[in-house]
Structures are given as structure tokens and as C-alpha cells.
Amino acid sequence: MRAVPYAKVRLEPKEGAALTVTTDADGIFRIGGLAPGTYKLSLLRENASPSQPQTVVVNPNELLAVELRLASPSSPNPVKGSAEEAEADIYKEIFRRPAVEEPSITDVIPEDKVAVTQPDRWESPMPEWSRYDRPGEFPYVRGGRWFDPFNQNRIKGDKPLFGKTFFNFTGTSASAVDIRRLPIPSGVASSRPGSKEFFGHGQQSFLAETARFSFDLFHGDTSFRPVDWRIRITPAVNINQIWTRERGILNRDVRKGTDRTDAHLGLQEAFVEYKVRDLSPNFDFVSVRAGIQQFNSDFRGFIFTQEQPGVRIFGNLRSNRYQYNAAYFYFLEKDTNSGLNKFEKRDQQVLIANLYIQDFLTHGYTTQFSYHYNKDDATVHYDDNHFLVRPAAIGALTPHDIRSHYIGWTGNGHVGRLNISHAAYQVLGFDRLNPVSGRRNDINAQMGALEVSYDRDWIRYRGSAFFASGDKNPRDRIARGFDSIGEAQSFAGGIFSFFNREGIPLTGTSVPLTSPDSFLPNLRSSKDEGQANYVNPGLMLLNAGIDVDITPKLRGFLNVNGMRFHHTEPLEYLLFQSKIRSSIGVDYGVGASYRPPLSDNIVITGGITALTPGAGLRQIYTAKTLVSAFTLVKFQF
């Protein structure tokens, strides 16, 4: 079968004039812009019988392919010779003819590139998924029910409630178990620190359940384009239980015993968001958000990670290459035993401004510049267990104001095959009456952090260093110890580091050396309820670890930290103890994270961490190895 070039194709509608086009050199014709309807189609050529007319039906938005064939050559004077010779002569004659100018028509776009208008794209069913010839956890599953968060679900924001208004409900359950051996001073004042008589058994068991319910109503397109407006409310409830072997740990009143059951309901999010305007066709925008909201001011949460009432203006520029935030927060008090918000205001205000620049100097690396201002006014506050936390119960027990300014540069991304995350902060300001020094201090402290990692197949090798300056002379007028506003850092092993995970008490005082979920030895009464303290020993830390993707669902972690105090003079001054060594010790942990479904809807994390004290920690606390075992089970709908 041969192509028929430069033949006439006639298209006749039921009503109206017929349309004639010419096939090209390959025998192909195209007709575009046809109205839906029924047509008769035929092919005409000299020295050949016309094709039999075909009836074709054209539907809306349809690409239709039709094949037409000519009958055998028919003429009053047939060509002499064989049929093959006659057909060859016909084609020679056709190719000798000049090219025929085709009428101006619209070309038909290939089917795989046709944009078809849909009345409602969110109601379109998922395509069939048949890549694998076996059952498994694959995308594009058809169907779905209201209680199924994995497939198309109206209450998960996959389909609109009406128009372009969506609703997304997220329910999260986090169950935590923590068993730790943490020697606690028994209150026997005549015993020397480090002796067997000075410490109780120190074993503690902690159980907590936190449930969060997030209700998110928003208007927009669900992807690429920022939402036009949003209303979100997230209440949370926490129930916790702790068992110890020593009195006076859980409550100032020793009659309360050695165990405690507590519960608290908090409001963690309650805000309204509105897009002020679009700045470009590339979805650059300016939006404002007001109310209780979550905010993390840098990549690793070194300075500020909170859920507090505030007003935030945010947006982007240059096709999302630049992102910016300007925020003001007025703090609420925190519940002591759950960390959730209370409906009590605290006289602390924070201003934050930052700018992110993507692909800074090299592709794949994002840098950030930030400014934080902390205004913490003088107040007196006892926590829910009746311990004094503001001012800290050491030194001068006088309420005092703090004004501090944080200037920072951070970055996160990759340079070639190396993953890099870093941070550097300078803090300035004043503390009107520092509890350790007993006088007004001008603040001048620094912090630096660097993590470098390398991915090789299914293993990530990482190493990091952290520095927080300490105060060499706690009695002068300059406070050189670094402290944050309200951090929740994920660095140097995170939860797989004992020094970061567990709070370590400071023998002979009413303040801890470190607070839970913080590796800053800032001598602060409480990370959530206390005030920043800039007269502290500081920290130098070196870290090494590996993250192993054992299977797509199972990941393993191994972490080792070596730690030293930057300056021990604040500890010597506070404890009336001379020549304290700088070594804190070696911290190590191992753990795993498992996802039963191939998503983050169910995550089980567990690990064992330990800290072998160095010479300095043995002098001020204990020579025993500190151990913690924990499990966290998270369900999310």
C-alpha cells in the first residue's frame, strides 16, 4: 500500500458548504476547528476512481483519525502495460506536478499535548496504576472513603467543599515512653557530691499521650498558588504520668509523693490568614497571618521555635527565590508538665525578621539572614509544681528585665555531593540584674554550628560541630554566655543524644545544668517558663553519626558526641567549687524509625542513649553512666 500525495479530500457537513483540502507529500491531511456533528468524507484524484464516501461523527474535544483508500485506476483510455507499471506512471506524473498550496487551516495538536477543559478537575478520577504485576502500596488508588486519609478524601482537602473552598482535618496522636537513670540529690547535705549516699536511685519512668486536632478551612487552588484566605484552629490535649523514687522532685511539697498524673488542654493554633495581593504572574505574593501560630525562625530551630499569639507578614519574590517573614509575638504561659499553651499571658514579646535566598552562589544551597529581638519583662512566676522559675531561684532573687538582639546568618542545602547546614549568631543587649552575677550585665555572646554530611547509596555519613560561648568572668559587667529565646534544635543527633534529650540537674542549686530537649548548659530554671541566662559555662561539641536506610520503611541511627564546657568559671562561682575541669563526657545513642505503611501516617521511633561523664561532670554531678531508653509512636490522620 502506497501513500496518495496531493489528492483532494472533500468533507461535506449535513448543512453548509463543503470543505476541500489536499494531502501532503506523505498522503496525510489535517482538518482543524470543526464543529461537532456528522460529516461525509471522500478522497478524489485524477486517473483514479473516488473512494467510497465515509460517514464520520465528530464529538466535542475529540481527536479523530480516519484512513481513506482509492479504488483501482479507472479511465476511458487505460494505461498500457501491467497494473504496476500503470500505477508507477501515475505517481511519476503526480510528482512532476508542482506543489499545490494548501488552504490555511489549524493544525491538530498531538493527542498527548491537548489541554482539555474540565468542569471540575478535583472530581477527576485517579488513572489506573498497573506498573507492577502484584499487590502493594502504590499511588493512584481509585475510590476512597471519608475515614481513609491515603486516597482522595474530601475532609483531607483533596476535593472542595464548594467552589474553591477546601477543608483539611488532621488528627495526630503521639504516645511517648521514657525510662531513664538520672541520679537525683537526696537532700543529705552532709554528704559530698559524687558519693553513694548523696544520690538517690534516680530511676524515673515517664509516659505521655498528646492528641492534636487541626481544623483547616481555606480558599484557593491547593497547589502552586498561595491560598487566598485560611482559618485554622488546633486544640491539643495531653495526659502524662511519671514515677520516681525520690520525694521533692515532682512537687515542692514532699507530701505529694513520688508519682504524678496530670492532664492539660491547650490551644496551639488559632489564626486567620489573608493574602493581601499577588505581585507577579509567578505566584509571588504578600500575606498576613494573625493569631496563635507555629513559627520556626531558622532551619534547625536554634533560636526560636514556638506556638504563640502573634502577627506575621510573609511572602516571596522573584518566582519564590526570595522568601521573607516579619513577625511579632506576645507570649502565653506554658503548662509545666505538658508544654502546651495556657490561657494566661506572659510579659514577654519577640520581634523577628528574616530573609531566605534560594540558590545563593550555587544551585541547591539556601541562605538566611535574620534578626530577633527579645523583650522579657520582670515578673514573678511559680510553675504548676510550685517551684519558682521567674526569677531563677539562684543568686539574687529579684525580678529583672532582659532586652536582647540576635543577629544571625544560617544556611542549608548542598554543594556538589556534600550536604551542608550551618548557623552563626551574635547576641547583644542587657540583663538588668543577672541572678548569677548579681548585677546588671551587658550581653555579648556568640554561637556557631556546622554540619556536613555525605550520601553514599543508602547510608548518610555526617559530622558536626557546635559552639556556644561561655562567660569567663561571671562577676564582671559583661555576660558572654550564649542562650536562646525558646529553641527546639534538631542537631548533633537530636533525640538520639542523651545530653540533648534529658535535662541534667545541677547539684546544690535549684536550676538544671541543661533543660530537656536542649543541649545548652545555660543554668536556666526552665526552657519554657524561665528567662534566658547569659552568664553560663557555654559548650563545645563535636559529633559524628550515620543514618542508614535499611529498607524503604526502616531507618537506623547511630550518634556519638564529645562535649566540653567553654568556661567553667560560672560553675565554680555558683557552686563555691574551684578548678572544675572542662570535660562533660561522651554521649552516644542508637535508634530506629519504622513506618508500617509507606508514608508518615504511622511512625514508630525508639532508641537507647547514654552519657559517660567526663572529669568536669564527675566533679559537679556523678561518675555514673546516665542511661535513657525511649519509644515514640505517632499516628496521623
mmCIF file of all heavy atoms in Angstrom, residues 226-229 273-280 283-289 312-317 324-326:
data_model
loop_
_atom_site.group_PDB
_atom_site.id
_atom_site.type_symbol
_atom_site.label_atom_id
_atom_site.label_comp_id
_atom_site.label_asym_id
_atom_site.label_seq_id
_atom_site.Cartn_x
_atom_site.Cartn_y
_atom_site.Cartn_z
ATOM 1 N N PRO A 226 -0.575 30.428 46.211
ATOM 2 C CA PRO A 226 -0.862 30.571 47.647
ATOM 3 C C PRO A 226 -2.357 30.765 47.889
ATOM 4 O O PRO A 226 -3.076 31.302 47.051
ATOM 5 C CB PRO A 226 -0.063 31.820 48.047
ATOM 6 C CG PRO A 226 0.976 31.965 46.984
ATOM 7 C CD PRO A 226 0.372 31.437 45.723
ATOM 8 N N VAL A 227 -2.815 30.328 49.051
ATOM 9 C CA VAL A 227 -4.241 30.407 49.357
ATOM 10 C C VAL A 227 -4.673 31.867 49.475
ATOM 11 O O VAL A 227 -3.895 32.745 49.845
ATOM 12 C CB VAL A 227 -4.567 29.649 50.661
ATOM 13 C CG1 VAL A 227 -4.216 28.185 50.537
ATOM 14 C CG2 VAL A 227 -3.857 30.272 51.854
ATOM 15 N N ASP A 228 -5.941 32.112 49.152
ATOM 16 C CA ASP A 228 -6.491 33.463 49.258
ATOM 17 C C ASP A 228 -6.785 33.825 50.709
ATOM 18 O O ASP A 228 -6.555 34.949 51.132
ATOM 19 C CB ASP A 228 -7.763 33.574 48.422
ATOM 20 C CG ASP A 228 -7.504 33.306 46.946
ATOM 21 O OD1 ASP A 228 -6.501 33.823 46.433
ATOM 22 O OD2 ASP A 228 -8.286 32.566 46.322
ATOM 23 N N TRP A 229 -7.334 32.865 51.461
ATOM 24 C CA TRP A 229 -7.544 33.058 52.903
ATOM 25 C C TRP A 229 -7.569 31.702 53.584
ATOM 26 O O TRP A 229 -7.787 30.669 52.961
ATOM 27 C CB TRP A 229 -8.814 33.849 53.192
ATOM 28 C CG TRP A 229 -10.086 33.289 52.600
ATOM 29 C CD1 TRP A 229 -10.700 33.691 51.457
ATOM 30 C CD2 TRP A 229 -10.905 32.230 53.136
ATOM 31 N NE1 TRP A 229 -11.844 32.965 51.232
ATOM 32 C CE2 TRP A 229 -12.000 32.060 52.253
ATOM 33 C CE3 TRP A 229 -10.819 31.412 54.266
ATOM 34 C CZ2 TRP A 229 -12.989 31.108 52.458
ATOM 35 C CZ3 TRP A 229 -11.807 30.469 54.478
ATOM 36 C CH2 TRP A 229 -12.880 30.314 53.585
ATOM 37 N N GLU A 273 -5.594 33.857 58.173
ATOM 38 C CA GLU A 273 -4.589 34.259 57.185
ATOM 39 C C GLU A 273 -5.292 34.843 55.964
ATOM 40 O O GLU A 273 -6.333 34.337 55.531
ATOM 41 C CB GLU A 273 -3.752 33.051 56.782
ATOM 42 C CG GLU A 273 -2.712 33.316 55.701
ATOM 43 C CD GLU A 273 -1.962 32.057 55.307
ATOM 44 O OE1 GLU A 273 -1.645 31.242 56.198
ATOM 45 O OE2 GLU A 273 -1.705 31.873 54.092
ATOM 46 N N TYR A 274 -4.707 35.908 55.417
ATOM 47 C CA TYR A 274 -5.309 36.562 54.251
ATOM 48 C C TYR A 274 -4.203 37.001 53.298
ATOM 49 O O TYR A 274 -3.204 37.605 53.712
ATOM 50 C CB TYR A 274 -6.131 37.775 54.686
ATOM 51 C CG TYR A 274 -6.752 38.527 53.537
ATOM 52 C CD1 TYR A 274 -7.841 37.999 52.854
ATOM 53 C CD2 TYR A 274 -6.241 39.763 53.144
ATOM 54 C CE1 TYR A 274 -8.412 38.692 51.790
ATOM 55 C CE2 TYR A 274 -6.807 40.454 52.081
ATOM 56 C CZ TYR A 274 -7.893 39.911 51.410
ATOM 57 O OH TYR A 274 -8.451 40.587 50.361
ATOM 58 N N LYS A 275 -4.383 36.678 52.022
ATOM 59 C CA LYS A 275 -3.421 37.125 51.014
ATOM 60 C C LYS A 275 -3.745 38.560 50.620
ATOM 61 O O LYS A 275 -4.817 38.848 50.077
ATOM 62 C CB LYS A 275 -3.447 36.212 49.792
ATOM 63 C CG LYS A 275 -2.399 36.581 48.748
ATOM 64 C CD LYS A 275 -2.307 35.556 47.627
ATOM 65 C CE LYS A 275 -3.578 35.516 46.816
ATOM 66 N NZ LYS A 275 -3.465 34.606 45.659
ATOM 67 N N VAL A 276 -2.807 39.469 50.867
ATOM 68 C CA VAL A 276 -3.032 40.887 50.605
ATOM 69 C C VAL A 276 -3.045 41.167 49.106
ATOM 70 O O VAL A 276 -3.938 41.828 48.583
ATOM 71 C CB VAL A 276 -1.961 41.736 51.308
ATOM 72 C CG1 VAL A 276 -2.150 43.214 51.004
ATOM 73 C CG2 VAL A 276 -1.984 41.486 52.810
ATOM 74 N N ARG A 277 -2.052 40.606 48.386
ATOM 75 C CA ARG A 277 -2.028 40.819 46.941
ATOM 76 C C ARG A 277 -1.012 39.894 46.291
ATOM 77 O O ARG A 277 -0.087 39.396 46.925
ATOM 78 C CB ARG A 277 -1.690 42.268 46.590
ATOM 79 C CG ARG A 277 -0.307 42.726 46.985
ATOM 80 C CD ARG A 277 -0.019 44.139 46.527
ATOM 81 N NE ARG A 277 -0.083 44.242 45.069
ATOM 82 C CZ ARG A 277 0.123 45.371 44.398
ATOM 83 N NH1 ARG A 277 0.359 46.497 45.053
ATOM 84 N NH2 ARG A 277 0.059 45.411 43.083
ATOM 85 N N ASP A 278 -1.230 39.667 44.982
ATOM 86 C CA ASP A 278 -0.251 38.964 44.154
ATOM 87 C C ASP A 278 0.700 39.987 43.556
ATOM 88 O O ASP A 278 0.282 41.080 43.138
ATOM 89 C CB ASP A 278 -0.944 38.188 43.035
ATOM 90 C CG ASP A 278 -1.731 37.000 43.558
ATOM 91 O OD1 ASP A 278 -1.159 36.212 44.319
ATOM 92 O OD2 ASP A 278 -2.924 36.863 43.207
ATOM 93 N N LEU A 279 1.985 39.624 43.475
ATOM 94 C CA LEU A 279 2.994 40.553 42.987
ATOM 95 C C LEU A 279 3.465 40.244 41.583
ATOM 96 O O LEU A 279 4.104 41.083 40.952
ATOM 97 C CB LEU A 279 4.206 40.547 43.936
ATOM 98 C CG LEU A 279 3.915 40.907 45.391
ATOM 99 C CD1 LEU A 279 5.200 40.835 46.210
ATOM 100 C CD2 LEU A 279 3.295 42.295 45.498
ATOM 101 N N SER A 280 3.185 39.030 41.079
ATOM 102 C CA SER A 280 3.638 38.673 39.738
ATOM 103 C C SER A 280 2.825 37.485 39.239
ATOM 104 O O SER A 280 2.157 36.805 40.027
ATOM 105 C CB SER A 280 5.134 38.320 39.749
ATOM 106 O OG SER A 280 5.330 37.018 40.268
ATOM 107 N N PHE A 283 3.172 33.725 40.961
ATOM 108 C CA PHE A 283 2.666 33.445 42.300
ATOM 109 C C PHE A 283 3.512 34.064 43.407
ATOM 110 O O PHE A 283 3.544 33.558 44.523
ATOM 111 C CB PHE A 283 2.528 31.925 42.536
ATOM 112 C CG PHE A 283 1.686 31.241 41.498
ATOM 113 C CD1 PHE A 283 2.213 30.275 40.669
ATOM 114 C CD2 PHE A 283 0.358 31.583 41.350
ATOM 115 C CE1 PHE A 283 1.434 29.660 39.703
ATOM 116 C CE2 PHE A 283 -0.438 30.976 40.391
ATOM 117 C CZ PHE A 283 0.102 30.006 39.567
ATOM 118 N N ASP A 284 4.245 35.131 43.122
ATOM 119 C CA ASP A 284 4.828 35.926 44.205
ATOM 120 C C ASP A 284 3.694 36.666 44.909
ATOM 121 O O ASP A 284 2.768 37.154 44.255
ATOM 122 C CB ASP A 284 5.848 36.921 43.646
ATOM 123 C CG ASP A 284 7.054 36.226 43.040
ATOM 124 O OD1 ASP A 284 7.418 35.152 43.546
ATOM 125 O OD2 ASP A 284 7.612 36.750 42.066
ATOM 126 N N PHE A 285 3.767 36.782 46.234
ATOM 127 C CA PHE A 285 2.608 37.281 46.971
ATOM 128 C C PHE A 285 3.041 37.919 48.282
ATOM 129 O O PHE A 285 4.189 37.814 48.718
ATOM 130 C CB PHE A 285 1.651 36.115 47.279
ATOM 131 C CG PHE A 285 2.195 35.139 48.291
ATOM 132 C CD1 PHE A 285 1.807 35.194 49.626
ATOM 133 C CD2 PHE A 285 3.116 34.165 47.925
ATOM 134 C CE1 PHE A 285 2.320 34.312 50.565
ATOM 135 C CE2 PHE A 285 3.643 33.275 48.860
ATOM 136 C CZ PHE A 285 3.237 33.344 50.174
ATOM 137 N N VAL A 286 2.082 38.585 48.941
ATOM 138 C CA VAL A 286 2.216 39.099 50.303
ATOM 139 C C VAL A 286 0.978 38.648 51.069
ATOM 140 O O VAL A 286 -0.150 38.870 50.620
ATOM 141 C CB VAL A 286 2.316 40.634 50.337
ATOM 142 C CG1 VAL A 286 2.402 41.127 51.782
ATOM 143 C CG2 VAL A 286 3.527 41.116 49.557
ATOM 144 N N SER A 287 1.186 38.010 52.220
ATOM 145 C CA SER A 287 0.079 37.555 53.065
ATOM 146 C C SER A 287 0.312 37.988 54.498
ATOM 147 O O SER A 287 1.452 38.287 54.902
ATOM 148 C CB SER A 287 -0.067 36.026 53.007
ATOM 149 O OG SER A 287 -0.585 35.600 51.770
ATOM 150 N N VAL A 288 -0.767 37.998 55.270
ATOM 151 C CA VAL A 288 -0.679 38.324 56.689
ATOM 152 C C VAL A 288 -1.414 37.252 57.467
ATOM 153 O O VAL A 288 -2.446 36.731 57.025
ATOM 154 C CB VAL A 288 -1.266 39.736 56.977
ATOM 155 C CG1 VAL A 288 -2.737 39.795 56.599
ATOM 156 C CG2 VAL A 288 -1.068 40.114 58.430
ATOM 157 N N ARG A 289 -0.860 36.877 58.616
ATOM 158 C CA ARG A 289 -1.450 35.856 59.484
ATOM 159 C C ARG A 289 -1.490 36.396 60.911
ATOM 160 O O ARG A 289 -0.468 36.868 61.424
ATOM 161 C CB ARG A 289 -0.636 34.564 59.424
ATOM 162 C CG ARG A 289 -1.149 33.456 60.309
ATOM 163 C CD ARG A 289 -0.268 32.207 60.206
ATOM 164 N NE ARG A 289 -0.350 31.609 58.879
ATOM 165 C CZ ARG A 289 0.308 30.504 58.530
ATOM 166 N NH1 ARG A 289 1.119 29.924 59.406
ATOM 167 N NH2 ARG A 289 0.182 29.998 57.319
ATOM 168 N N ARG A 312 2.032 38.004 61.708
ATOM 169 C CA ARG A 312 3.151 37.685 60.815
ATOM 170 C C ARG A 312 2.820 38.122 59.401
ATOM 171 O O ARG A 312 1.761 37.793 58.864
ATOM 172 C CB ARG A 312 3.427 36.178 60.852
ATOM 173 C CG ARG A 312 4.466 35.681 59.876
ATOM 174 C CD ARG A 312 4.568 34.177 59.938
ATOM 175 N NE ARG A 312 5.275 33.607 58.796
ATOM 176 C CZ ARG A 312 5.021 32.423 58.264
ATOM 177 N NH1 ARG A 312 4.075 31.663 58.782
ATOM 178 N NH2 ARG A 312 5.704 31.978 57.233
ATOM 179 N N ILE A 313 3.723 38.875 58.796
ATOM 180 C CA ILE A 313 3.632 39.250 57.387
ATOM 181 C C ILE A 313 4.686 38.432 56.642
ATOM 182 O O ILE A 313 5.860 38.427 57.032
ATOM 183 C CB ILE A 313 3.872 40.750 57.191
ATOM 184 C CG1 ILE A 313 2.813 41.562 57.954
ATOM 185 C CG2 ILE A 313 3.855 41.117 55.723
ATOM 186 C CD1 ILE A 313 3.088 43.052 57.967
ATOM 187 N N PHE A 314 4.277 37.744 55.593
ATOM 188 C CA PHE A 314 5.216 36.864 54.898
ATOM 189 C C PHE A 314 4.880 36.807 53.421
ATOM 190 O O PHE A 314 3.782 37.184 52.982
ATOM 191 C CB PHE A 314 5.198 35.459 55.505
ATOM 192 C CG PHE A 314 3.872 34.738 55.375
ATOM 193 C CD1 PHE A 314 3.663 33.808 54.376
ATOM 194 C CD2 PHE A 314 2.837 35.009 56.262
ATOM 195 C CE1 PHE A 314 2.446 33.149 54.263
ATOM 196 C CE2 PHE A 314 1.620 34.352 56.158
ATOM 197 C CZ PHE A 314 1.421 33.420 55.146
ATOM 198 N N GLY A 315 5.831 36.336 52.623
ATOM 199 C CA GLY A 315 5.611 36.218 51.192
ATOM 200 C C GLY A 315 6.894 35.848 50.480
ATOM 201 O O GLY A 315 7.860 35.387 51.091
ATOM 202 N N ASN A 316 6.905 36.073 49.155
ATOM 203 C CA ASN A 316 8.084 35.735 48.374
ATOM 204 C C ASN A 316 8.236 36.702 47.205
ATOM 205 O O ASN A 316 7.343 37.498 46.899
ATOM 206 C CB ASN A 316 8.035 34.285 47.890
ATOM 207 C CG ASN A 316 6.818 34.007 47.020
ATOM 208 O OD1 ASN A 316 6.012 34.883 46.748
ATOM 209 N ND2 ASN A 316 6.675 32.772 46.601
ATOM 210 N N LEU A 317 9.394 36.611 46.544
ATOM 211 C CA LEU A 317 9.718 37.477 45.419
ATOM 212 C C LEU A 317 10.526 36.683 44.396
ATOM 213 O O LEU A 317 11.091 35.619 44.719
ATOM 214 C CB LEU A 317 10.542 38.696 45.878
ATOM 215 C CG LEU A 317 9.858 39.716 46.790
ATOM 216 C CD1 LEU A 317 10.897 40.671 47.371
ATOM 217 C CD2 LEU A 317 8.786 40.491 46.040
ATOM 218 N N TYR A 324 10.422 35.827 52.771
ATOM 219 C CA TYR A 324 10.663 36.740 53.884
ATOM 220 C C TYR A 324 9.559 36.602 54.928
ATOM 221 O O TYR A 324 8.444 36.168 54.648
ATOM 222 C CB TYR A 324 10.746 38.182 53.387
ATOM 223 C CG TYR A 324 9.539 38.621 52.587
ATOM 224 C CD1 TYR A 324 8.397 39.132 53.212
ATOM 225 C CD2 TYR A 324 9.536 38.505 51.196
ATOM 226 C CE1 TYR A 324 7.291 39.520 52.474
ATOM 227 C CE2 TYR A 324 8.431 38.888 50.454
ATOM 228 C CZ TYR A 324 7.312 39.394 51.093
ATOM 229 O OH TYR A 324 6.210 39.763 50.365
ATOM 230 N N ASN A 325 9.907 36.977 56.170
ATOM 231 C CA ASN A 325 8.970 36.996 57.291
ATOM 232 C C ASN A 325 9.240 38.226 58.140
ATOM 233 O O ASN A 325 10.402 38.602 58.364
ATOM 234 C CB ASN A 325 9.134 35.757 58.175
ATOM 235 C CG ASN A 325 8.728 34.483 57.482
ATOM 236 O OD1 ASN A 325 7.557 34.124 57.435
ATOM 237 N ND2 ASN A 325 9.708 33.766 56.928
ATOM 238 N N ALA A 326 8.181 38.838 58.622
ATOM 239 C CA ALA A 326 8.267 39.875 59.645
ATOM 240 C C ALA A 326 7.179 39.545 60.658
ATOM 241 O O ALA A 326 5.993 39.535 60.311
ATOM 242 C CB ALA A 326 8.063 41.260 59.055
#
